[in-house]
Amino acid sequence: MLNRREFVRAAAAGAAMFSRVGDALAAAAKYDLIIKGGRVIDPSLRVDAILDVAIAGGRIAAVESNIADDAVETLDARGKIVVPGLLDIHTHAARIKDGPALCLADGVTGFVDAGSQGADRIDDPIAIAKAAPQAARVLINIGRAGILPEGDTMDITRADVGAARAAVAKNRDVVAGVKARLSRDVAGANDYEVLRRAQEVVASFNLPVMIHMGQTVSPLPRLFELLKPGDIVTHMFAPPPNSIIDENGRILPEVLAARRRGVWFDVGNGRTGHLRWDIVERVMRAGFWPDTFSTDWTPEGRTAQVFDFPNVMSKFLDFGMTLDQVIARATVNASRVFEVFRDRGTLNVGAPADVAVLELRQGSFEFVDNFGNNRTGRQRLFPSGTVLGGKRVPSRA
Ligand SMILES: [Zn+2]
């Protein structure tokens, strides 16, 4: 996987770093917007330097130092960090009408709603995703009634392959995969069969399945048998029973094998049962780092534990990751997981002009896991501004 990443990065950098779209365009057009003087960090281009980002026609037009040309508008980013727009692959932003706009104000220029609804009410999140200002996709919950307090698929007849398949077929433009929530309080002893059915749904569409792991009835190795390349494991830091790491601090061989065959591992911060600091510590120490970060955003999470995507990213600055490594997991890495994000997560010239401006503050910050444990960090990223398709977006109130 590292090799694939290195290759893509090198290719992107070689093709267009610091170059302009073309002399003709540059001569004809003043820029629409220049983001001036920020510390530009773009792992896809291996850039970390004080630079200006010029935007024209909704696309990145130049990333250079001291761009002197005129622009209709200038955004002063001195003292700030300028990164590609953030891509959040596990949210529930399509659960409420203003979810997409709230996430956008936090710098999230692309999101996936992961299983808020099943076949019966899939039209609701689809309507919200379609109306979203940013790139948005929906994973359909294999449980046809969506997320239920009594457990989505505790009644196995709710994992209705025919209903899910019909819903995917009807909404091929917005549905980007199937979500299978497998915890014991969601699927009970049906976990294996639920996942098998989820794979049956996507088989003819060539789409991924995202599994919600942690506290399952079935052992993880048995469930992982059913994962194919391109599938996503979310809540990778879930505590036992059935963590990805054993009592001796070893990542399970089946987990390593899954990553080797192209299964992605995602954080899925959330609020209940998914993230515990001691597990994060041990998994990070074992060198099994997340491919992607995600918030598992909900309106409730906005005021507790999750807050915003930059806050979730910040938690990992305290586990040995550099700023560049943290940003990669919220941008370029996520762009590889879902087709819709393929040309995003980068400030490469010609890419859609989706940019997040962040502020890195030093101090003392409390981060809380899903079990009420606090950790104090010395740094925290705050959302400071968003540019979507070249246009400035109002910041978080
Ligand atoms: Zn979720």
Side-chain angles (χ1 to χ4, degrees), residues 90 92 114 179 235 296:
H90 178 175
H92 298 279
K179 177 85 179 286
H235 307 316
D296 194 3

Side-chain angles (χ1 to χ4, degrees), residues 143 148 150-160 186-187 190 194 197:
L148 296 175
E150 68 267 33
D152 312 0
T153 51
M154 214 60 97
D155 171 0
I156 190 64
T157 61
R158 289 213 174 90
D160 188 327
V186 177
N190 295 327
V194 166
R197 291 188 190 189

